[in-house]
């Protein structure tokens, strides 16, 4: 898709604080479980004038494909030992013995669309990709809910720590529309609210400068 067409589409459809689009866009693999609309990162990139992107949980390559069409640098990581695109590196974000790629220290936008641990019908290791390295124990999606959400929080904060001054971090959380159990209430809070209690920020699409 041409850069000019992307910008025009965003300007026509992303006019408020709630993002809603009639299609997911042409990027990435629509059959990859948990994938999100490429118009979400497109809207953020256009609105905030970002010129480079890093991404944790790069998955099916949606943001990577978008950045290619926009002609801006992209650097992603994913637990998949055989990433779907060449600009996505195999890495366990929870492995603190390994340094993040250089692009994470340079990008002015960092995208995260975390997994949802405890949802038993979604599997990445030996589901979306072949696990020939025994990575299931490191797959946040396979962790119990509490352990998995703490792992997601660690991933967000590790990404935050790598960001250059003035960069933005966008954490996508909008699953309750599609996963009804997140709206179930116990002890006065919905499951979605309990999940967000573990996050630093508590709005559906957080985009903001995290370093002053």
């Amino acid at each position: 898709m041409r850069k000019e067409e992307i910008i025009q589409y965003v300007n026509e459809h992303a006019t408020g604080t709630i993002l809603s689009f009639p299609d997911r866009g042409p990027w990435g693999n629509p059959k990859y479980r948990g994938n999100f609309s490429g118009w979400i990162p497109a809207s953020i990139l256009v609105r905030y004038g970002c010129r480079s992107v890093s991404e944790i949980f790069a998955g099916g390559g949606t943001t990577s494909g978008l950045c290619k069409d926009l002609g801006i640098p992209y650097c992603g990581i994913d637990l998949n030992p055989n990433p779907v695109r060449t600009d996505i590196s195999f890495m366990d974000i929870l492995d603190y013995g390994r340094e993040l790629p250089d692009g994470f220290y340079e990008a002015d936008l960092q995208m995260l669309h975390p997994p949802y641990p405890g949802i038993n019908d979604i599997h990445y290791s030996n589901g979306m990709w072949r696990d020939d390295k025994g990575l299931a124990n490191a797959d946040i999606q396979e962790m119990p809910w509490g352990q998995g959400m703490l792992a997601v929080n660690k991933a967000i904060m590790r990404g935050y720590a790598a960001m250059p001054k003035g960069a933005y971090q966008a954490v996508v959380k909008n699953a309750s529309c599609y996963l009804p159990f997140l709206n179930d209430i116990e002890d006065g809070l919905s499951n979605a609210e309990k999940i967000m209690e573990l996050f630093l920020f508590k709005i559906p699409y957080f985009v903001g400068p995290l370093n002053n």
Side-chain angles (χ1 to χ4, degrees):
M1 194 170 186
R2 293 172 53 243
K3 178 178 180 179
E4 295 76 13
E5 294 173 331
I6 296 171
I7 294 174
Q8 179 180 353
Y9 189 95
V10 166
N11 287 334
E12 291 175 353
H13 292 85
T15 57
T17 58
I18 297 176
L19 302 179
S20 179
F21 305 97
D23 62 88
R24 69 173 300 280
W27 308 284
N29 178 3
K31 295 182 179 180
Y32 195 94
R33 298 296 302 275
N35 74 91
F36 69 167
S37 168
W39 293 118
I40 295 172
S43 300
I44 297 168
L45 284 163
V46 171
R47 181 176 298 181
Y48 293 94
C50 300
R51 294 172 292 180
S52 57
V53 179
S54 64
E55 183 175 35
I56 302 172
F57 312 119
T62 298
T63 307
S64 168
L66 167 69
C67 289
K68 180 179 180 181
D69 283 358
L70 288 173
I72 63 175
Y74 170 89
C75 177
I77 62 169
D78 196 81
L79 190 62
N80 183 355
N82 299 293
V84 299
R85 297 181 66 96
T86 57
D87 51 8
I88 299 174
S89 300
F90 160 54
M91 181 178 174
D92 176 5
I93 185 61
L94 302 178
D95 179 3
Y96 290 89
R98 183 175 174 185
E99 191 62 64
L100 286 164
D102 291 344
F104 276 77
Y105 299 92
E106 302 167 356
D108 52 11
L109 171 65
Q110 184 180 108
M111 289 294 305
L112 298 96
H113 185 200
Y116 298 95
I119 301 177
N120 296 325
D121 66 336
I122 298 179
H123 301 281
Y124 294 112
S125 56
N126 288 323
M128 290 292 97
W129 40 266
R130 180 179 175 181
D131 182 7
D132 53 8
K133 293 182 177 292
L135 297 168
N137 288 337
D139 186 350
I140 295 175
Q141 186 67 36
E142 300 297 322
M143 295 178 183
W145 180 85
Q147 177 188 355
M149 291 313 302
L150 287 172
V152 168
N153 203 39
K154 289 179 180 178
I156 292 173
M157 296 312 297
R158 186 175 185 192
Y160 162 76
M163 292 167 54
K165 181 179 180 180
Y168 294 86
Q169 186 183 60
V171 181
V172 178
K173 190 250 27 149
N174 198 26
S176 56
C177 296
Y178 311 101
L179 303 170
F181 83 91
L182 290 175
N183 295 312
D184 292 346
I185 297 176
E186 183 179 349
D187 300 326
L189 292 174
S190 70
N191 287 329
E193 289 170 330
K194 291 177 182 178
I195 290 173
M196 293 313 295
E197 285 294 331
L198 297 176
F199 284 89
L200 183 60
F201 300 98
K202 302 179 183 178
I203 54 179
Y205 296 107
F206 171 78
V207 186
L210 295 179
N211 291 328
N212 295 320

